[in-house]
Structure formats: C-alpha cells, structure tokens
Amino acid sequence: MSGTETRYLRFVALGDSHTEGVGDGDDLTGLRGWADRLAEHLARHSPQLRYANLAVRGRLAGQVHAEQLPAALALRPDFATVVAGVNDMLRPRFDPDEVAAHLEAMFAALTGQGARVATLTFPDIARVTPLARPLRPRLEALNHRVRAAAHRHGVVVADVTLYPVATDPRLWSQDRLHSSPLGHQRIAAALAHSLNLPDTDDSWTHPLPVLPVGRARFLRTASAEVRWIAGFLGPWIGRRARGRSSGDGRVAKRPDLLSVGSSGQHFGRAFQRGPEPSVDLADASE
C-alpha cells in the first residue's frame, strides 16, 4: 500500500500508561512506547512534525478528559490519539457508558477543532492473564462503545482486538497489563496502517513464530504465574486498597509540542517496516 500524502505538523497523544509508553523502556533511560514510535514514523514523511505526549499512567478516562483535553486543544493538533478506559475497566465500579461518554467528548472536541483523531480497541486480556476472565464482558462492552463513538465522529480505529496476535504473550510485558517493546511496535504499526500512512501494510496482523511445546514450557508458565501474582497483582491490589495510583505525583513526559527526538526525551530508532525486535522463544511464555 502506498498510502496517502497526508502530512501532519502537530501530533498530540492523550491517555494513560499505554500511551505514556510503560513497558517499552523504563523511567531511568526513558519510555518510548507506541505513540513515540508512531511520531517517528510520521516524522519520516513530515520532517517538520512536532509531537506532544500528555499521557500519564494510572489515569481514568474522566481524568484524561478533565486534565489532558484542555491542554491538547490549546496545542491545536492536526492529528491526535485518544486511548483510555482500561484503568476504569479494572475498577470495581465500572460504567462503560460513563467511560464512553468521556471518550466521545474528547473525540468530538478534537475533531470539532479540525484534528484527525485515532484510537484503539483493547485485546482480550483474559487470553494473556487467565485470572482476568471475569473482565471479558467489560472489555467487550467498552470496545463496542469505542467503535460506535469513533464512527459518529469520523475517528480512525485500529481494531487490534480482531487479530489473535494481539494476545500473544510476547507482545506483553511481564506485568501483563502493558505492551512489551514488540507490542508497542505492533500498535504503532496498526495505527499507521489504519491511517493509511505511507510505507505501511498489514504485517502487524501476522502471527509470530510458533512457540515450542512440551513440559518445559508448562513449567515456565506455572512459574510465571506465581511470579506475576507476587510481583504485580499483589502490589496492584495494595495500591487500590489504599486509594493510590501508579501515576500519583507524575506529570506528562512531553507536555509541549517539540520536534521528534528533542528535549532529551528518549526516542529509539525510527519506526520502519522490516525486522521487529527479536523474540526469545524460550522466554516467550514468561
């Protein structure tokens, strides 16, 4: 696919930890993430592109709406991404209509100002974390509303949930709530392809190499379950019980429109078609 010649000059990303880039880099060396990767791809064809990332981990959809939308509108983007709702889905009192209303308000405000807007659907995390099976109806309800709201406002949807590769464990970090570097790369590719950008195709939908089978893989998976409960699920429950969030005290990593790669913010090599980050099959189920 050759793509269109649409060029963007001001890209603003709104959301939570997924858009911030958690799982792709760290807080010492810097987070990259799918939004940074998408900005890199856009900048290859629009060298004058400036990019801001307002996302903060832990934010609920209502918080993204209240805290990030006014700043985004002030930056007058011609392209924006809005991805939120997973943190809401994990809370005991989840109202998909309320979450969708916040998302739709952001879609309406940004498109009404002339920006092209893109969003994502969310993969079935129960296929990554079996303990999350009770969340499946919530996920389906949220995805249905995301698609409907996006359709009403002409928002581009990268419908990643339709493709089995989205729940391949190798696309997820060890906490099973955030994407791995490979997962972030696939999300960036999904959005770029959905936007019909140059130098994109549907290779992001292709499955990864088949995992080896056998008892060793089972033991690694069982061990990983124990480590996940102790290392991630337990602390997460503890924060929720104390009314705390992983984003408490944090601010956006890139609040201003800056040229891609400036301000000391970590950016890796440019997004490109071709080899993806290497995958260690021996560790893929951990």
Side-chain angles (χ1 to χ4, degrees), residues 12-16 19 53-57 59-60 62-75 81 83 106 252:
V12 178
L14 298 80
D16 51 31
T19 302
N53 189 320
L54 307 180
V56 177
R57 67 193 68 178
R59 294 300 192 259
L60 303 173
Q63 293 174 311
V64 175
H65 182 189
E67 299 169 8
Q68 298 176 26
L69 179 63
L73 293 172
L75 294 172
T81 56
V83 179
M106 290 187 277

Side-chain angles (χ1 to χ4, degrees), residues 115-225:
R116 192 175 194 195
V117 178
T119 191
L120 301 165
T121 56
F122 304 105
D124 181 3
I125 58 175
R127 296 180 63 84
V128 181
T129 304
L131 290 175
R133 286 195 184 98
L135 297 176
R136 185 171 283 156
R138 293 184 171 197
L139 183 74
E140 293 173 350
L142 180 57
N143 280 337
H144 173 73
R145 287 162 175 77
V146 167
R147 294 185 189 103
H151 178 73
R152 285 191 289 271
H153 297 280
V155 170
V156 174
V157 180
D159 213 347
V160 298
T161 191
L162 298 179
Y163 300 94
V165 70
T167 55
D168 188 304
R170 291 165 287 184
L171 269 60
W172 293 77
S173 66
Q174 289 186 345
D175 68 8
R176 304 185 191 177
L177 293 174
H178 300 98
S179 299
S180 66
L182 180 60
H184 279 283
Q185 179 171 340
R186 289 277 178 129
I187 293 171
L191 281 161
H193 184 232
S194 297
L195 289 160
N196 198 31
L197 297 180
D199 301 327
T200 62
D201 57 28
D202 67 351
S203 58
W204 66 272
T205 68
H206 297 176
L208 296 176
V210 177
L211 285 168
V213 296
R215 179 174 173 79
R217 179 187 170 193
F218 168 78
L219 292 175
R220 285 196 299 273
T221 302
S223 175
E225 290 296 318

Side-chain angles (χ1 to χ4, degrees), residues 209-284:
V210 177
L211 285 168
V213 296
R215 179 174 173 79
R217 179 187 170 193
F218 168 78
L219 292 175
R220 285 196 299 273
T221 302
S223 175
E225 290 296 318
V226 173
R227 292 199 304 273
W228 178 72
I229 292 172
F232 299 104
L233 181 60
W236 183 86
I237 292 174
R239 287 197 301 272
R240 296 286 79 76
R242 298 192 302 274
R244 300 289 302 275
S245 166
S246 59
D248 289 347
R250 290 186 174 272
V251 296
K253 70 176 186 179
R254 192 179 175 91
D256 301 312
L257 285 168
L258 301 167
S259 61
V260 173
S262 64
S263 79
Q265 173 61 38
H266 173 71
F267 277 73
R269 65 183 183 277
F271 169 89
Q272 57 185 0
R273 292 172 62 186
E276 294 179 319
S278 60
V279 177
D280 186 342
L281 295 181
D283 296 332

